């Protein structure tokens, strides 16, 4: 009788794996009271990227919740969807450089690509500056150029003035190039450290991203800044890593 009862017992539900986002919580959080207002007009067709991207990124940050664990998949999936749309558009209609956009009526790439690559540029600017300085830049720009035309050059100048940092090397590759980062990543263990060897072919991008490291204790997310064609990043992780997912 006891054996029959045991065979009919409902097994306990699997425990939800532990996901540690402590080191990347600023990426998946934003004070929505600091979201910018006002409309900035593009000075030329080549500056359309900002008007489109600032609206797209505003919507993304407006969807941020108080819990980074719920914001992370929303932001991850939103950026992944943009990536798919970008690749689809390029495959169908060809690539183009955002700051060379023109008014056309027979294809979408002159609108879709500047919007997406411009959103990437603003996202990279936020990751590089941090939430508060980024909000300062965006609010100042939207106030200074409220219902006025703004060029890309004026945006870069204002961002560097307000942040006190050279942002052109981070932002402009997304706007004046038509390629994407060509990245290869190798992971190895050195004692208790995880070492990432990140290489880029061609002219390298300077970008920030995340890496998910799965261990016997769960998964932990770490921020990674790539600033050269050949980068080595050392990360200390509790537990033994068995899977590394580079975003």
């Amino acid at each position: 009788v006891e054996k029959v009862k045991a065979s009919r017992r409902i097994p306990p539900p699997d425990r939800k794996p532990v996901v540690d986002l402590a080191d990347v919580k600023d990426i998946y959080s934003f004070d929505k009271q600091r979201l910018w207002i006002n409309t900035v007009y593009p000075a030329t067709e080549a500056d359309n990227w900002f008007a489109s991207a600032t609206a797209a990124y505003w919507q993304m940050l407006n969807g941020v919740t108080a819990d980074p664990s719920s914001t992370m998949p929303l932001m991850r999936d939103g950026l992944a969807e943009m990536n798919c749309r970008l690749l689809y558009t390029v495959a169908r209609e060809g690539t183009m450089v955002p700051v060379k956009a023109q008014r056309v009526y027979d294809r979408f790439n002159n609108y879709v690509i500047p919007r997406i690559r411009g959103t990437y540029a603003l996202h990279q600017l936020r990751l590089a500056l941090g939430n508060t300085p980024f909000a300062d830049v965006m609010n100042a720009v939207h106030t200074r150029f409220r219902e006025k035309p703004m060029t890309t050059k004026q945006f870069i100048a204002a961002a560097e003035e307000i942040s006190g940092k050279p942002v052109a090397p981070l932002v402009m590759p997304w706007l004046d190039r038509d390629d994407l980062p060509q990245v290869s990543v190798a992971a190895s263990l050195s004692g208790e450290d995880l070492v990432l060897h990140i290489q880029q072919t061609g002219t390298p991008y300077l970008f920030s991203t995340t890496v998910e490291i799965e261990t016997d204790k769960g998964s932990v997310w770490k921020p990674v800044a790539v600033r050269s064609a050949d980068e080595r990043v050392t990360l200390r992780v509790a537990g033994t890593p068995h899977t590394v997912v580079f975003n």
Side-chain angles (χ1 to χ4, degrees):
V1 175
E2 190 61 28
K3 288 184 179 180
V4 172
K5 288 182 179 179
S7 66
R8 292 180 179 176
R9 287 174 185 159
I10 300 174
D14 293 336
R15 291 185 177 180
K16 189 175 181 180
V18 176
V19 179
D20 183 356
L21 299 174
D23 290 337
V24 296
K25 60 182 177 57
D26 287 345
I27 297 177
Y28 303 114
S29 62
F30 193 83
D31 180 4
K32 289 192 277 191
Q33 298 298 317
R34 299 298 314 281
L35 282 169
W36 49 96
I37 59 174
N38 302 322
T39 300
V40 176
Y41 300 143
T44 68
E45 293 172 1
D47 306 305
N48 279 334
W49 72 268
F50 183 82
S52 185
T54 189
Y57 203 47
W58 188 99
Q59 290 290 347
M60 183 173 290
L61 294 181
N62 191 48
V64 167
T65 69
D67 180 10
S69 65
S70 62
T71 297
M72 181 272 288
L74 293 175
M75 188 169 291
R76 176 199 62 199
D77 295 347
L79 290 169
E81 189 273 335
M82 284 187 178
N83 187 55
C84 291
R85 202 149 29 102
L86 175 66
L87 297 177
Y88 175 82
T89 302
V90 169
R92 296 272 297 188
E93 301 182 359
T95 189
M96 53 83 59
V97 173
V99 293
K100 294 182 179 180
Q102 299 177 350
R103 186 181 303 174
V104 297
Y105 299 99
D106 60 343
R107 57 191 183 277
F108 295 102
N109 61 352
N110 276 250
Y111 307 100
V112 173
I113 293 175
R115 180 181 180 88
I116 294 175
R117 290 184 69 99
T119 304
Y120 291 169
L122 295 181
H123 183 59
Q124 285 299 316
L125 183 61
R126 182 172 75 91
L127 297 188
L129 296 181
N131 284 331
T132 298
F134 174 77
D136 290 342
V137 167
M138 296 300 285
N139 277 282
V141 165
H142 283 79
T143 299
R144 185 178 302 181
F145 294 96
R146 176 186 177 184
E147 298 179 0
K148 296 178 182 178
M150 182 187 72
T151 65
T152 300
K153 185 177 180 180
Q154 287 174 316
F155 171 72
I156 295 295
E160 292 186 339
E161 171 198 335
I162 296 158
S163 69
K165 296 181 178 180
V167 304
L170 294 168
V171 173
M172 288 308 300
W174 301 102
L175 307 177
D176 62 12
R177 291 169 59 174
D178 64 358
D179 61 346
L180 291 170
Q182 301 298 313
V183 182
S184 63
V185 183
S188 61
L189 290 175
S190 177
E192 297 181 351
D193 294 331
L194 174 68
V195 179
L196 301 180
H197 187 195
I198 306 164
Q199 295 179 297
Q200 294 185 70
T201 58
T203 304
Y205 275 76
L206 313 183
F207 66 93
S208 301
T209 187
T210 58
V211 61
E212 180 187 13
I213 305 161
E214 297 179 4
T215 73
D216 50 336
K217 298 182 178 180
S219 101
V220 58
W221 289 55
K222 297 282 187 181
V224 174
V226 179
R227 296 292 181 262
S228 69
D230 194 308
E231 193 91 22
R232 290 185 183 273
V233 178
T234 301
L235 303 170
R236 178 63 59 91
V237 182
T240 302
H242 56 75
T243 304
V244 177
V245 182
F246 186 85
N247 185 1

